[in-house]
Amino acid sequence: MEAFDYFDHDADIGIIGRGVTLESAFESAAKAMFAIMAEKLPEPLDAELSFEFEEEDAEFALVRWLNTLLAEAQSRSIILGRFELRRNGARWQAKAWGVPWNRAIVRGVEVKGATLTMLCVEERAGLWEARCIVDV
């Protein structure tokens, strides 16, 4: 089973992140979102960012995680490709790595933000799934 996938939506794109933990499903959702914007990234992914946030609701945490990643990456003119998320109660600690945008990176479609549309975070048969629509 793929760590991430997509689903159809009329005007935008649905993303699905999967993982054995809630955090790994969120990491996979971030990979899905950033894969829409760029094809394979050059190594090493040495531009690092980190942030923390508080959110008790897992669904709202997914949207906040994705939108903060987008905002941080855009403010630094980088594209992200590796993600790490840890949770302690309502406190989330995030790290991500990427590279500065450059001509060698094949650009895809710009993602403007994660939305509450079709937002769902749930565990099924020991596997977490995190899904939402991203505005493109």
Side-chain angles (χ1 to χ4, degrees), residues 23-69:
E23 295 86 349
S24 63
F26 279 30
E27 292 165 0
S28 295
K31 288 177 188 172
M33 182 176 71
F34 280 90
I36 293 167
M37 295 187 284
E39 291 185 13
K40 187 171 172 32
L41 300 181
E43 295 287 338
L45 302 178
D46 53 9
E48 181 180 340
L49 62 87
S50 61
F51 59 91
E52 294 184 3
F53 65 95
E54 285 193 39
E55 180 57 64
E56 290 187 23
D57 184 278
E59 290 179 340
F60 290 144
L62 174 64
V63 172
R64 187 151 178 204
W65 154 251
L66 295 174
N67 285 330
T68 303
L69 286 169

mmCIF file of all heavy atoms in Angstrom, residues 23-69:
data_model
loop_
_atom_site.group_PDB
_atom_site.id
_atom_site.type_symbol
_atom_site.label_atom_id
_atom_site.label_comp_id
_atom_site.label_asym_id
_atom_site.label_seq_id
_atom_site.Cartn_x
_atom_site.Cartn_y
_atom_site.Cartn_z
ATOM 1 N N GLU A 23 0.918 10.367 13.393
ATOM 2 C CA GLU A 23 1.966 11.280 12.929
ATOM 3 C C GLU A 23 2.502 10.867 11.561
ATOM 4 O O GLU A 23 2.728 11.717 10.690
ATOM 5 C CB GLU A 23 3.110 11.345 13.941
ATOM 6 C CG GLU A 23 2.718 11.935 15.286
ATOM 7 C CD GLU A 23 2.122 10.949 16.283
ATOM 8 O OE1 GLU A 23 1.797 9.806 15.905
ATOM 9 O OE2 GLU A 23 1.967 11.325 17.454
ATOM 10 N N SER A 24 2.706 9.570 11.342
ATOM 11 C CA SER A 24 3.227 9.136 10.042
ATOM 12 C C SER A 24 2.196 9.346 8.930
ATOM 13 O O SER A 24 2.562 9.615 7.784
ATOM 14 C CB SER A 24 3.716 7.689 10.091
ATOM 15 O OG SER A 24 2.666 6.788 10.377
ATOM 16 N N ALA A 25 0.913 9.252 9.249
ATOM 17 C CA ALA A 25 -0.118 9.554 8.258
ATOM 18 C C ALA A 25 -0.072 11.036 7.880
ATOM 19 O O ALA A 25 -0.204 11.393 6.703
ATOM 20 C CB ALA A 25 -1.501 9.182 8.791
ATOM 21 N N PHE A 26 0.147 11.912 8.870
ATOM 22 C CA PHE A 26 0.284 13.345 8.598
ATOM 23 C C PHE A 26 1.527 13.609 7.742
ATOM 24 O O PHE A 26 1.493 14.433 6.829
ATOM 25 C CB PHE A 26 0.380 14.132 9.898
ATOM 26 C CG PHE A 26 -0.928 14.408 10.582
ATOM 27 C CD1 PHE A 26 -2.009 13.548 10.466
ATOM 28 C CD2 PHE A 26 -1.078 15.530 11.359
ATOM 29 C CE1 PHE A 26 -3.213 13.803 11.108
ATOM 30 C CE2 PHE A 26 -2.269 15.810 12.004
ATOM 31 C CZ PHE A 26 -3.345 14.946 11.880
ATOM 32 N N GLU A 27 2.627 12.929 8.045
ATOM 33 C CA GLU A 27 3.857 13.088 7.254
ATOM 34 C C GLU A 27 3.605 12.676 5.810
ATOM 35 O O GLU A 27 4.045 13.344 4.865
ATOM 36 C CB GLU A 27 4.990 12.266 7.872
ATOM 37 C CG GLU A 27 5.455 12.778 9.209
ATOM 38 C CD GLU A 27 6.308 11.782 9.993
ATOM 39 O OE1 GLU A 27 6.549 10.648 9.502
ATOM 40 O OE2 GLU A 27 6.727 12.139 11.112
ATOM 41 N N SER A 28 2.876 11.576 5.616
ATOM 42 C CA SER A 28 2.559 11.115 4.262
ATOM 43 C C SER A 28 1.634 12.091 3.539
ATOM 44 O O SER A 28 1.777 12.305 2.331
ATOM 45 C CB SER A 28 1.915 9.727 4.316
ATOM 46 O OG SER A 28 2.830 8.777 4.811
ATOM 47 N N ALA A 29 0.705 12.703 4.262
ATOM 48 C CA ALA A 29 -0.163 13.716 3.647
ATOM 49 C C ALA A 29 0.666 14.909 3.174
ATOM 50 O O ALA A 29 0.416 15.466 2.098
ATOM 51 C CB ALA A 29 -1.243 14.157 4.634
ATOM 52 N N ALA A 30 1.658 15.291 3.966
ATOM 53 C CA ALA A 30 2.543 16.389 3.553
ATOM 54 C C ALA A 30 3.328 16.009 2.298
ATOM 55 O O ALA A 30 3.485 16.822 1.380
ATOM 56 C CB ALA A 30 3.493 16.756 4.693
ATOM 57 N N LYS A 31 3.809 14.766 2.228
ATOM 58 C CA LYS A 31 4.517 14.310 1.019
ATOM 59 C C LYS A 31 3.605 14.393 -0.193
ATOM 60 O O LYS A 31 4.019 14.825 -1.270
ATOM 61 C CB LYS A 31 5.013 12.879 1.205
ATOM 62 C CG LYS A 31 6.168 12.755 2.146
ATOM 63 C CD LYS A 31 6.562 11.291 2.346
ATOM 64 C CE LYS A 31 7.595 11.171 3.447
ATOM 65 N NZ LYS A 31 7.865 9.778 3.812
ATOM 66 N N ALA A 32 2.349 13.969 -0.016
ATOM 67 C CA ALA A 32 1.393 14.026 -1.122
ATOM 68 C C ALA A 32 1.185 15.463 -1.584
ATOM 69 O O ALA A 32 1.177 15.745 -2.783
ATOM 70 C CB ALA A 32 0.061 13.407 -0.687
ATOM 71 N N MET A 33 1.032 16.372 -0.634
ATOM 72 C CA MET A 33 0.779 17.776 -0.980
ATOM 73 C C MET A 33 1.968 18.389 -1.715
ATOM 74 O O MET A 33 1.802 19.038 -2.751
ATOM 75 C CB MET A 33 0.464 18.579 0.278
ATOM 76 C CG MET A 33 0.141 20.035 -0.003
ATOM 77 S SD MET A 33 -0.335 20.950 1.470
ATOM 78 C CE MET A 33 1.233 21.051 2.351
ATOM 79 N N PHE A 34 3.170 18.179 -1.213
ATOM 80 C CA PHE A 34 4.339 18.786 -1.856
ATOM 81 C C PHE A 34 4.699 18.087 -3.166
ATOM 82 O O PHE A 34 5.280 18.713 -4.054
ATOM 83 C CB PHE A 34 5.518 18.853 -0.882
ATOM 84 C CG PHE A 34 5.409 20.018 0.058
ATOM 85 C CD1 PHE A 34 4.752 19.885 1.279
ATOM 86 C CD2 PHE A 34 5.905 21.261 -0.280
ATOM 87 C CE1 PHE A 34 4.615 20.963 2.140
ATOM 88 C CE2 PHE A 34 5.770 22.355 0.573
ATOM 89 C CZ PHE A 34 5.120 22.206 1.785
ATOM 90 N N ALA A 35 4.319 16.816 -3.324
ATOM 91 C CA ALA A 35 4.565 16.114 -4.587
ATOM 92 C C ALA A 35 3.709 16.689 -5.716
ATOM 93 O O ALA A 35 4.060 16.543 -6.890
ATOM 94 C CB ALA A 35 4.306 14.618 -4.422
ATOM 95 N N ILE A 36 2.603 17.332 -5.377
ATOM 96 C CA ILE A 36 1.786 18.003 -6.386
ATOM 97 C C ILE A 36 2.558 19.180 -6.982
ATOM 98 O O ILE A 36 2.434 19.487 -8.160
ATOM 99 C CB ILE A 36 0.461 18.512 -5.758
ATOM 100 C CG1 ILE A 36 -0.413 17.334 -5.329
ATOM 101 C CG2 ILE A 36 -0.297 19.427 -6.721
ATOM 102 C CD1 ILE A 36 -1.585 17.730 -4.437
ATOM 103 N N MET A 37 3.388 19.819 -6.170
ATOM 104 C CA MET A 37 4.075 21.048 -6.579
ATOM 105 C C MET A 37 5.402 20.823 -7.280
ATOM 106 O O MET A 37 5.897 21.716 -7.960
ATOM 107 C CB MET A 37 4.278 21.940 -5.359
ATOM 108 C CG MET A 37 2.972 22.429 -4.782
ATOM 109 S SD MET A 37 3.178 23.633 -3.473
ATOM 110 C CE MET A 37 3.683 22.587 -2.129
ATOM 111 N N ALA A 38 6.017 19.654 -7.081
ATOM 112 C CA ALA A 38 7.323 19.411 -7.705
ATOM 113 C C ALA A 38 7.578 17.920 -7.840
ATOM 114 O O ALA A 38 7.169 17.130 -6.984
ATOM 115 C CB ALA A 38 8.443 20.034 -6.871
ATOM 116 N N GLU A 39 8.260 17.572 -8.920
ATOM 117 C CA GLU A 39 8.679 16.194 -9.101
ATOM 118 C C GLU A 39 9.884 15.926 -8.201
ATOM 119 O O GLU A 39 10.209 16.727 -7.342
ATOM 120 C CB GLU A 39 8.997 15.935 -10.570
ATOM 121 C CG GLU A 39 7.744 15.965 -11.433
ATOM 122 C CD GLU A 39 7.996 15.588 -12.866
ATOM 123 O OE1 GLU A 39 9.088 15.059 -13.180
ATOM 124 O OE2 GLU A 39 7.092 15.815 -13.691
ATOM 125 N N LYS A 40 10.572 14.856 -8.428
ATOM 126 C CA LYS A 40 11.704 14.438 -7.598
ATOM 127 C C LYS A 40 12.645 15.595 -7.274
ATOM 128 O O LYS A 40 13.075 16.327 -8.150
ATOM 129 C CB LYS A 40 12.464 13.335 -8.327
ATOM 130 C CG LYS A 40 13.555 12.708 -7.519
ATOM 131 C CD LYS A 40 14.093 11.492 -8.239
ATOM 132 C CE LYS A 40 15.308 10.890 -7.636
ATOM 133 N NZ LYS A 40 15.547 10.914 -6.268
ATOM 134 N N LEU A 41 12.939 15.724 -5.989
ATOM 135 C CA LEU A 41 13.822 16.798 -5.540
ATOM 136 C C LEU A 41 15.267 16.341 -5.513
ATOM 137 O O LEU A 41 15.554 15.184 -5.209
ATOM 138 C CB LEU A 41 13.418 17.262 -4.133
ATOM 139 C CG LEU A 41 12.008 17.797 -3.980
ATOM 140 C CD1 LEU A 41 11.775 18.241 -2.542
ATOM 141 C CD2 LEU A 41 11.750 18.942 -4.934
ATOM 142 N N PRO A 42 16.199 17.254 -5.814
ATOM 143 C CA PRO A 42 17.620 16.897 -5.748
ATOM 144 C C PRO A 42 18.058 16.710 -4.295
ATOM 145 O O PRO A 42 17.559 17.375 -3.395
ATOM 146 C CB PRO A 42 18.319 18.099 -6.390
ATOM 147 C CG PRO A 42 17.365 19.238 -6.207
ATOM 148 C CD PRO A 42 15.992 18.645 -6.227
ATOM 149 N N GLU A 43 18.951 15.798 -4.070
ATOM 150 C CA GLU A 43 19.528 15.571 -2.734
ATOM 151 C C GLU A 43 20.792 16.411 -2.615
ATOM 152 O O GLU A 43 21.437 16.699 -3.609
ATOM 153 C CB GLU A 43 19.872 14.084 -2.555
ATOM 154 C CG GLU A 43 18.664 13.170 -2.563
ATOM 155 C CD GLU A 43 17.814 13.240 -1.309
ATOM 156 O OE1 GLU A 43 18.336 13.661 -0.255
ATOM 157 O OE2 GLU A 43 16.632 12.896 -1.374
ATOM 158 N N PRO A 44 21.230 16.780 -1.450
ATOM 159 C CA PRO A 44 20.570 16.531 -0.169
ATOM 160 C C PRO A 44 19.495 17.576 0.111
ATOM 161 O O PRO A 44 19.534 18.692 -0.408
ATOM 162 C CB PRO A 44 21.705 16.664 0.833
ATOM 163 C CG PRO A 44 22.619 17.686 0.223
ATOM 164 C CD PRO A 44 22.520 17.458 -1.274
ATOM 165 N N LEU A 45 18.537 17.187 0.946
ATOM 166 C CA LEU A 45 17.496 18.113 1.394
ATOM 167 C C LEU A 45 18.036 18.811 2.633
ATOM 168 O O LEU A 45 17.813 18.381 3.748
ATOM 169 C CB LEU A 45 16.207 17.352 1.716
ATOM 170 C CG LEU A 45 15.607 16.524 0.581
ATOM 171 C CD1 LEU A 45 14.367 15.783 1.059
ATOM 172 C CD2 LEU A 45 15.286 17.390 -0.622
ATOM 173 N N ASP A 46 18.785 19.885 2.419
ATOM 174 C CA ASP A 46 19.517 20.486 3.543
ATOM 175 C C ASP A 46 18.925 21.792 4.064
ATOM 176 O O ASP A 46 19.437 22.366 5.017
ATOM 177 C CB ASP A 46 20.990 20.664 3.194
ATOM 178 C CG ASP A 46 21.218 21.416 1.901
ATOM 179 O OD1 ASP A 46 20.257 21.956 1.340
ATOM 180 O OD2 ASP A 46 22.372 21.451 1.454
ATOM 181 N N ALA A 47 17.822 22.244 3.474
ATOM 182 C CA ALA A 47 17.123 23.406 4.034
ATOM 183 C C ALA A 47 16.134 22.873 5.067
ATOM 184 O O ALA A 47 15.214 22.131 4.731
ATOM 185 C CB ALA A 47 16.409 24.185 2.934
ATOM 186 N N GLU A 48 16.335 23.233 6.319
ATOM 187 C CA GLU A 48 15.517 22.684 7.408
ATOM 188 C C GLU A 48 14.644 23.767 8.029
ATOM 189 O O GLU A 48 15.064 24.909 8.172
ATOM 190 C CB GLU A 48 16.420 22.089 8.486
ATOM 191 C CG GLU A 48 15.668 21.481 9.638
ATOM 192 C CD GLU A 48 16.578 20.885 10.709
ATOM 193 O OE1 GLU A 48 17.751 20.591 10.413
ATOM 194 O OE2 GLU A 48 16.095 20.727 11.843
ATOM 195 N N LEU A 49 13.441 23.385 8.388
ATOM 196 C CA LEU A 49 12.587 24.285 9.158
ATOM 197 C C LEU A 49 11.941 23.496 10.285
ATOM 198 O O LEU A 49 11.798 22.283 10.205
ATOM 199 C CB LEU A 49 11.546 24.978 8.282
ATOM 200 C CG LEU A 49 10.499 24.156 7.549
ATOM 201 C CD1 LEU A 49 9.279 23.898 8.429
ATOM 202 C CD2 LEU A 49 10.055 24.921 6.314
ATOM 203 N N SER A 50 11.579 24.201 11.341
ATOM 204 C CA SER A 50 10.903 23.556 12.466
ATOM 205 C C SER A 50 9.922 24.546 13.077
ATOM 206 O O SER A 50 10.106 25.761 13.007
ATOM 207 C CB SER A 50 11.901 23.057 13.501
ATOM 208 O OG SER A 50 12.640 24.120 14.033
ATOM 209 N N PHE A 51 8.875 24.007 13.655
ATOM 210 C CA PHE A 51 7.865 24.821 14.324
ATOM 211 C C PHE A 51 7.066 23.932 15.268
ATOM 212 O O PHE A 51 7.134 22.708 15.188
ATOM 213 C CB PHE A 51 6.952 25.538 13.325
ATOM 214 C CG PHE A 51 6.191 24.622 12.396
ATOM 215 C CD1 PHE A 51 4.918 24.155 12.741
ATOM 216 C CD2 PHE A 51 6.728 24.234 11.182
ATOM 217 C CE1 PHE A 51 4.216 23.320 11.887
ATOM 218 C CE2 PHE A 51 6.031 23.399 10.323
ATOM 219 C CZ PHE A 51 4.770 22.941 10.676
ATOM 220 N N GLU A 52 6.329 24.566 16.144
ATOM 221 C CA GLU A 52 5.440 23.872 17.073
ATOM 222 C C GLU A 52 4.065 24.506 16.990
ATOM 223 O O GLU A 52 3.936 25.677 16.631
ATOM 224 C CB GLU A 52 5.957 23.983 18.509
ATOM 225 C CG GLU A 52 7.259 23.272 18.757
ATOM 226 C CD GLU A 52 7.691 23.326 20.225
ATOM 227 O OE1 GLU A 52 6.937 23.869 21.065
ATOM 228 O OE2 GLU A 52 8.767 22.809 20.522
ATOM 229 N N PHE A 53 3.057 23.712 17.327
ATOM 230 C CA PHE A 53 1.707 24.250 17.421
ATOM 231 C C PHE A 53 0.908 23.413 18.401
ATOM 232 O O PHE A 53 1.312 22.302 18.751
ATOM 233 C CB PHE A 53 1.025 24.325 16.043
ATOM 234 C CG PHE A 53 0.776 22.994 15.371
ATOM 235 C CD1 PHE A 53 -0.453 22.352 15.492
ATOM 236 C CD2 PHE A 53 1.761 22.401 14.593
ATOM 237 C CE1 PHE A 53 -0.690 21.148 14.859
ATOM 238 C CE2 PHE A 53 1.529 21.196 13.952
ATOM 239 C CZ PHE A 53 0.299 20.567 14.084
ATOM 240 N N GLU A 54 -0.200 23.964 18.836
ATOM 241 C CA GLU A 54 -1.090 23.249 19.743
ATOM 242 C C GLU A 54 -2.446 23.073 19.085
ATOM 243 O O GLU A 54 -2.991 24.014 18.527
ATOM 244 C CB GLU A 54 -1.254 24.011 21.064
ATOM 245 C CG GLU A 54 -0.032 23.899 21.946
ATOM 246 C CD GLU A 54 -0.291 24.379 23.371
ATOM 247 O OE1 GLU A 54 -1.388 24.121 23.906
ATOM 248 O OE2 GLU A 54 0.625 25.003 23.916
ATOM 249 N N GLU A 55 -2.940 21.845 19.140
ATOM 250 C CA GLU A 55 -4.270 21.546 18.614
ATOM 251 C C GLU A 55 -4.707 20.191 19.160
ATOM 252 O O GLU A 55 -3.994 19.199 18.993
ATOM 253 C CB GLU A 55 -4.256 21.512 17.085
ATOM 254 C CG GLU A 55 -5.596 21.200 16.464
ATOM 255 C CD GLU A 55 -6.695 22.152 16.881
ATOM 256 O OE1 GLU A 55 -6.603 23.352 16.562
ATOM 257 O OE2 GLU A 55 -7.654 21.695 17.542
ATOM 258 N N GLU A 56 -5.846 20.170 19.816
ATOM 259 C CA GLU A 56 -6.355 18.922 20.385
ATOM 260 C C GLU A 56 -7.060 18.057 19.351
ATOM 261 O O GLU A 56 -6.980 16.841 19.394
ATOM 262 C CB GLU A 56 -7.293 19.224 21.553
ATOM 263 C CG GLU A 56 -6.556 19.765 22.761
ATOM 264 C CD GLU A 56 -7.447 19.902 23.978
ATOM 265 O OE1 GLU A 56 -8.485 19.218 24.054
ATOM 266 O OE2 GLU A 56 -7.083 20.699 24.857
ATOM 267 N N ASP A 57 -7.750 18.677 18.421
ATOM 268 C CA ASP A 57 -8.523 17.957 17.414
ATOM 269 C C ASP A 57 -7.611 17.492 16.275
ATOM 270 O O ASP A 57 -6.944 18.307 15.637
ATOM 271 C CB ASP A 57 -9.626 18.869 16.878
ATOM 272 C CG ASP A 57 -10.526 18.166 15.901
ATOM 273 O OD1 ASP A 57 -10.154 18.064 14.714
ATOM 274 O OD2 ASP A 57 -11.608 17.710 16.324
ATOM 275 N N ALA A 58 -7.590 16.189 16.008
ATOM 276 C CA ALA A 58 -6.681 15.641 14.990
ATOM 277 C C ALA A 58 -6.985 16.181 13.595
ATOM 278 O O ALA A 58 -6.060 16.437 12.820
ATOM 279 C CB ALA A 58 -6.744 14.113 14.995
ATOM 280 N N GLU A 59 -8.251 16.360 13.267
ATOM 281 C CA GLU A 59 -8.583 16.860 11.935
ATOM 282 C C GLU A 59 -8.111 18.294 11.743
ATOM 283 O O GLU A 59 -7.499 18.630 10.726
ATOM 284 C CB GLU A 59 -10.083 16.725 11.672
ATOM 285 C CG GLU A 59 -10.486 15.265 11.517
ATOM 286 C CD GLU A 59 -11.960 15.066 11.278
ATOM 287 O OE1 GLU A 59 -12.762 15.975 11.588
ATOM 288 O OE2 GLU A 59 -12.312 13.983 10.773
ATOM 289 N N PHE A 60 -8.364 19.141 12.728
ATOM 290 C CA PHE A 60 -7.877 20.520 12.635
ATOM 291 C C PHE A 60 -6.345 20.564 12.662
ATOM 292 O O PHE A 60 -5.728 21.413 12.022
ATOM 293 C CB PHE A 60 -8.460 21.394 13.737
ATOM 294 C CG PHE A 60 -9.926 21.662 13.580
ATOM 295 C CD1 PHE A 60 -10.747 21.734 14.693
ATOM 296 C CD2 PHE A 60 -10.510 21.843 12.340
ATOM 297 C CE1 PHE A 60 -12.114 21.973 14.560
ATOM 298 C CE2 PHE A 60 -11.869 22.090 12.187
ATOM 299 C CZ PHE A 60 -12.673 22.155 13.301
ATOM 300 N N ALA A 61 -5.732 19.628 13.391
ATOM 301 C CA ALA A 61 -4.266 19.563 13.432
ATOM 302 C C ALA A 61 -3.703 19.254 12.042
ATOM 303 O O ALA A 61 -2.672 19.806 11.656
ATOM 304 C CB ALA A 61 -3.797 18.524 14.442
ATOM 305 N N LEU A 62 -4.362 18.376 11.292
ATOM 306 C CA LEU A 62 -3.899 18.065 9.935
ATOM 307 C C LEU A 62 -3.875 19.319 9.069
ATOM 308 O O LEU A 62 -2.870 19.606 8.411
ATOM 309 C CB LEU A 62 -4.795 17.006 9.291
ATOM 310 C CG LEU A 62 -4.495 16.708 7.814
ATOM 311 C CD1 LEU A 62 -3.106 16.120 7.636
ATOM 312 C CD2 LEU A 62 -5.564 15.796 7.225
ATOM 313 N N VAL A 63 -4.963 20.080 9.083
ATOM 314 C CA VAL A 63 -5.033 21.296 8.260
ATOM 315 C C VAL A 63 -3.999 22.315 8.728
ATOM 316 O O VAL A 63 -3.325 22.949 7.906
ATOM 317 C CB VAL A 63 -6.462 21.876 8.275
ATOM 318 C CG1 VAL A 63 -6.518 23.234 7.595
ATOM 319 C CG2 VAL A 63 -7.422 20.909 7.604
ATOM 320 N N ARG A 64 -3.855 22.453 10.015
ATOM 321 C CA ARG A 64 -2.863 23.413 10.541
ATOM 322 C C ARG A 64 -1.448 22.997 10.149
ATOM 323 O O ARG A 64 -0.627 23.828 9.751
ATOM 324 C CB ARG A 64 -3.005 23.525 12.051
ATOM 325 C CG ARG A 64 -2.136 24.606 12.620
ATOM 326 C CD ARG A 64 -2.732 25.166 13.857
ATOM 327 N NE ARG A 64 -1.862 26.174 14.424
ATOM 328 C CZ ARG A 64 -1.868 26.512 15.684
ATOM 329 N NH1 ARG A 64 -2.711 25.948 16.528
ATOM 330 N NH2 ARG A 64 -1.060 27.426 16.127
ATOM 331 N N TRP A 65 -1.123 21.722 10.292
ATOM 332 C CA TRP A 65 0.185 21.167 9.900
ATOM 333 C C TRP A 65 0.477 21.475 8.435
ATOM 334 O O TRP A 65 1.521 22.033 8.097
ATOM 335 C CB TRP A 65 0.165 19.672 10.192
ATOM 336 C CG TRP A 65 1.033 18.743 9.423
ATOM 337 C CD1 TRP A 65 0.614 17.831 8.495
ATOM 338 C CD2 TRP A 65 2.454 18.543 9.541
ATOM 339 N NE1 TRP A 65 1.686 17.111 8.027
ATOM 340 C CE2 TRP A 65 2.815 17.516 8.648
ATOM 341 C CE3 TRP A 65 3.446 19.148 10.304
ATOM 342 C CZ2 TRP A 65 4.134 17.077 8.504
ATOM 343 C CZ3 TRP A 65 4.759 18.704 10.160
ATOM 344 C CH2 TRP A 65 5.095 17.685 9.277
ATOM 345 N N LEU A 66 -0.448 21.133 7.558
ATOM 346 C CA LEU A 66 -0.223 21.328 6.124
ATOM 347 C C LEU A 66 -0.110 22.804 5.763
ATOM 348 O O LEU A 66 0.777 23.198 4.995
ATOM 349 C CB LEU A 66 -1.346 20.658 5.328
ATOM 350 C CG LEU A 66 -1.426 19.134 5.440
ATOM 351 C CD1 LEU A 66 -2.673 18.616 4.728
ATOM 352 C CD2 LEU A 66 -0.174 18.460 4.914
ATOM 353 N N ASN A 67 -0.986 23.631 6.309
ATOM 354 C CA ASN A 67 -0.944 25.062 5.977
ATOM 355 C C ASN A 67 0.281 25.756 6.554
ATOM 356 O O ASN A 67 0.836 26.661 5.925
ATOM 357 C CB ASN A 67 -2.233 25.751 6.410
ATOM 358 C CG ASN A 67 -3.381 25.423 5.472
ATOM 359 O OD1 ASN A 67 -3.180 25.177 4.288
ATOM 360 N ND2 ASN A 67 -4.585 25.411 6.009
ATOM 361 N N THR A 68 0.723 25.337 7.723
ATOM 362 C CA THR A 68 1.956 25.932 8.279
ATOM 363 C C THR A 68 3.160 25.515 7.448
ATOM 364 O O THR A 68 4.040 26.339 7.180
ATOM 365 C CB THR A 68 2.132 25.547 9.763
ATOM 366 O OG1 THR A 68 0.973 25.965 10.487
ATOM 367 C CG2 THR A 68 3.363 26.203 10.355
ATOM 368 N N LEU A 69 3.208 24.252 7.028
ATOM 369 C CA LEU A 69 4.298 23.819 6.139
ATOM 370 C C LEU A 69 4.327 24.666 4.864
ATOM 371 O O LEU A 69 5.396 25.117 4.431
ATOM 372 C CB LEU A 69 4.147 22.340 5.776
ATOM 373 C CG LEU A 69 4.480 21.333 6.849
ATOM 374 C CD1 LEU A 69 4.028 19.936 6.426
ATOM 375 C CD2 LEU A 69 5.977 21.331 7.155
#
